[in-house]
Amino acid sequence: MQYDVVVVGGGPAGLAAAIRLKQLSADLSVCVLEKGSEIGAHILSGAVMDPRALDELIPDWKAKGAPLHTPVSEDRFLFLTEKASFQTPNFLLPGCFKNHGNYVVSLGNVCRWLGQQAESLGVEIFPGFAAAEVLFEGDAVKGVVTGDMGINRNGEKTPAYQPGMELHAKYTFFAEGCRGHLGRSLEARYRLREGAEPQVYGIGLKELWEVPAEKHRPGLVTHTAGWPLDPDVYGGSFIYHQENRQVAVGYVVGLSYQNPYLSPFEEFQRFKTHPAIRPLLEGAKRICYGARAITSGGLQSLPRFVFPGGAMIGDEAGFLNASRIKGSHCAIKSGMLAAEAAHSALKAGRALDELSDYPQAFRSSWLYDELYRARNFKPWMSKGLYLGSMMFGIDQVLLRGKAPWTLHHKGADHAQTRPASEFSPIQYPKPDGLLTFDRLSSVFISNTNHNEDQPVHLTLKDPSVPVDVNLARYAGPESRYCPAQVYEFVEAGGAQRLQINAQNCVHCKTCDIKDPTQNIVWVTPEGGGGPNYPNM
């Protein structure tokens, strides 16, 4: 199938790019591939949305019924100790934590609406089709091929077999989100990370709760830092009051943590027991759960994001402002910039070229300015909660993000993991099933589903490494950093082995990032598999 532009990924970046292309020229043929069962099925974010980019993309979004219904009414920032909380006065908060003019949203529902806008302009959207490989013509990307369907665990064709489709394009945009597996291959082929600092990440875990009416405060936005994490571990929570008595409760843990016994999922469950948090959730009902890795390296970690025949947009490249805990407006803007560059190239009769206009437009955009002002956030916070908070406050409040220095990241997250012998195991409390939960019951309400007979999409470069290295040296951290109980060490014949429960995978990509030996490689499963988030 031949198109002018193929977009891989139906998130905010990919859909914005498709919409902008059709706005610029209705005659362009544009398609979007989405590996989820529908647009929005794999979208997970807090989310508080800055409408700035949406204002540019679709100025009449309110009249068109965009699901931005709950303006932020109040900001709160709490520092937690084990038994107490201390609210930071709003006048001391850096601007990145002030959300006046923003909206509490379900980003999944925003993407569903963006998908409708794209289709109304003539964009072809193919949900349930995962791009499995990149196609090349010489040194240029010429499209992608979708994964075969109906292959069993042994690699054999079943009666349901359907071969993948080749989609050729004059330009291909990669918008897979954080740690996209095709993006990784492109970074290696074109050496896109030469000169850039390593990307650093966090894992974001989220639950959606329905709370009693008397506890619901539409538009209330609360962030916390401190307990239960140690001060030297980057992380914190978000609590966003949405419409319909729903509250998004989430926790972010930076994946640069050193202690292999740490479990982000258990830290999240423990957080909900704090005296400042428990009262909101008592008597409430948990209705959904999910997890997703988040890029947080900022400007220093952006790769070269163009190459012959294509470009990376959104969180695929790392356009996320970690200091604001926001990426959707950055993703939309990056998609628009790439679309405008591709439109100019196509209008000039160029194809499979390098879209140099895209990085140039980025450098002169408000998106660059925003990321530049935030560039020292993660490096400061990696120095510890108290020192980092103080120094970033000076950076933002006194210097307004224009400090005459740029700090650097420590290195790749997986390399920060220390041997288990340097730490004591962390004893986490058992879940009570009312406020705190186990992983399997959580995965159940994420509506995650994979065909159990398909090939395992969590691949190992060397099958001996999990036991011989990870278990022996790091006490098997994959059994703890995974938020979905995909990885379990079980005894077989008097010896330990790693069992991979791939059907549980919520596509968060944490294993691909945090595995200390980089032995786990996440590849795309059969299209349509994974979580089915209804309102996340």
Side-chain angles (χ1 to χ4, degrees):
M1 301 174 69
Q2 181 70 46
Y3 292 91
D4 289 312
V5 179
V6 167
V7 181
V8 180
L15 292 169
I19 288 169
R20 188 70 183 128
L21 284 162
K22 296 294 280 187
Q23 288 174 337
L24 292 167
S25 179
D27 295 334
L28 290 178
S29 57
V30 182
C31 88
V32 174
L33 289 176
E34 167 53 43
K35 66 182 173 69
S37 60
E38 64 169 354
I39 294 291
H42 288 179
I43 297 294
L44 183 141
S45 182
V48 172
M49 186 174 184
D50 181 341
R52 181 176 189 176
L54 189 59
D55 288 338
E56 296 179 2
L57 180 66
I58 306 175
D60 58 343
W61 55 265
K62 286 186 179 180
K64 290 185 173 177
L68 283 72
H69 303 308
T70 309
V72 174
S73 58
E74 182 184 352
D75 281 301
R76 296 178 186 171
F77 195 101
L78 306 178
F79 281 93
L80 304 183
T81 64
E82 186 172 359
K83 300 295 184 183
S85 63
F86 304 91
Q87 183 169 346
T88 303
N90 276 12
F91 73 88
L92 289 178
L93 285 178
C96 58
F97 289 117
K98 296 178 180 178
N99 287 289
H100 178 74
N102 299 331
Y103 293 80
V104 180
V105 302
S106 157
L107 189 59
N109 288 342
V110 171
C111 287
R112 290 179 178 94
W113 178 82
L114 286 172
Q116 294 168 3
Q117 306 311 303
E119 287 185 315
S120 71
L121 293 171
V123 175
E124 296 181 36
I125 297 180
F126 301 123
F129 287 89
E133 295 178 35
V134 182
L135 299 172
F136 298 94
E137 183 174 295
D139 191 44
V141 172
K142 72 165 186 178
V144 293
V145 58
T146 64
D148 293 344
M149 303 180 79
I151 302 290
N152 69 18
R153 185 158 291 214
N154 297 321
E156 303 162 338
K157 297 177 183 178
T158 71
Y161 172 74
Q162 294 181 39
M165 300 184 299
E166 287 195 10
L167 293 97
H168 296 184
K170 296 171 184 174
Y171 291 100
T172 306
F173 291 167
F174 294 86
E176 303 170 282
C178 172
R179 194 73 165 196
H181 82 288
L182 296 184
R184 283 192 69 188
S185 69
L186 291 165
E187 286 182 359
R189 180 184 177 98
Y190 293 110
R191 299 179 179 177
L192 301 179
R193 290 217 152 267
E194 287 187 354
E197 296 192 24
Q199 185 58 267
V200 294
Y201 302 87
I203 177 175
L205 304 109
K206 176 181 174 181
E207 294 175 346
L208 195 61
W209 287 72
E210 187 175 271
V211 303
E214 63 271 16
K215 297 182 180 182
H216 189 227
R217 304 286 184 271
L220 173 60
V221 167
T222 301
H223 294 103
T224 78
W227 190 88
L229 293 176
D230 290 336
D232 62 346
V233 178
Y234 169 78
S237 80
F238 59 86
I239 303 172
Y240 301 155
H241 288 242
Q242 302 176 182
E243 55 191 321
N244 300 323
R245 292 196 293 115
Q246 291 185 350
V247 177
V249 182
Y251 208 75
V252 176
V253 177
L255 291 178
S256 60
Y257 64 83
Q258 296 182 341
N259 185 348
Y261 289 114
L262 188 149
S263 165
F265 178 86
E266 267 77 24
E267 296 291 346
F268 176 32
Q269 300 307 308
R270 196 157 61 140
F271 155 76
K272 292 182 292 178
T273 67
H274 190 276
I277 310 303
R278 177 188 288 272
L280 172 67
L281 302 179
E282 287 179 331
K285 179 184 179 183
R286 189 178 73 147
I287 55 180
C288 197
Y289 163 82
R292 188 69 172 93
I294 308 164
T295 58
S296 54
L299 199 63
Q300 299 93 309
S301 297
L302 287 179
R304 184 164 56 89
F305 43 82
V306 292
F307 36 86
M312 294 194 294
I313 59 178
D315 221 15
E316 179 96 75
F319 290 111
L320 182 141
N321 186 338
S323 72
R324 297 185 70 193
I325 324 176
K326 290 179 180 61
S328 56
H329 69 295
C330 305
I332 290 171
K333 183 62 174 178
S334 71
M336 293 173 66
L337 294 172
E340 289 159 5
H343 174 258
S344 296
L346 292 168
K347 190 176 179 181
R350 303 199 312 271
L352 304 184
D353 203 352
E354 188 164 298
L355 296 172
S356 58
D357 287 356
Y358 171 30
Q360 291 173 9
F362 164 65
R363 284 296 299 256
S364 60
S365 71
W366 58 256
L367 177 56
Y368 178 88
D369 291 340
E370 180 176 319
L371 295 180
Y372 180 83
R373 290 195 305 272
R375 70 196 185 284
N376 288 327
F377 171 73
K378 190 64 188 290
W380 276 130
M381 296 310 298
S382 69
K383 297 181 184 300
L385 174 62
Y386 303 114
L387 175 62
S389 297
M390 180 181 70
M391 295 307 299
F392 185 67
I394 293 172
D395 184 295
Q396 295 294 293
V397 177
L398 296 182
L399 302 177
R400 300 189 180 279
K402 297 181 180 179
W405 56 77
T406 296
L407 302 180
H408 303 287
H409 301 300
K410 292 180 178 178
D413 291 329
H414 72 271
Q416 308 308 311
T417 311
R418 304 293 301 163
S421 59
E422 300 179 14
F423 302 89
S424 298
I426 302 174
Q427 300 300 323
Y428 291 108
K430 292 183 178 180
D432 61 19
L434 296 173
L435 185 68
T436 60
F437 303 89
D438 62 19
R439 298 180 204 215
L440 289 182
S441 66
S442 299
V443 172
F444 178 77
I445 62 170
S446 72
N447 304 304
T448 295
N449 182 58
H450 296 89
N451 176 3
E452 294 191 23
D453 192 37
Q454 69 178 286
V456 173
H457 67 279
L458 302 151
T459 63
L460 303 176
K461 296 176 184 176
D462 183 342
S464 69
V465 164
V467 171
D468 293 350
V469 181
N470 284 6
L471 185 61
R473 183 172 174 79
Y474 302 103
E478 50 267 70
S479 66
R480 288 178 290 277
Y481 60 59
C482 173
Q485 203 167 319
V486 170
Y487 302 98
E488 291 183 282
F489 286 93
V490 297
E491 189 171 326
Q496 294 284 325
R497 69 175 181 87
L498 179 66
Q499 178 172 296
I500 300 178
N501 306 308
Q503 65 273 19
N504 291 354
C505 179
V506 294
H507 298 201
C508 74
K509 309 290 183 69
T510 304
C511 57
D512 197 284
I513 297 164
K514 188 58 176 171
D515 177 22
T517 52
Q518 291 293 277
N519 188 52
I520 298 173
V521 179
W522 194 102
V523 300
T524 185
E526 191 172 284
N532 284 278
Y533 298 133
N535 193 30
M536 297 284 266

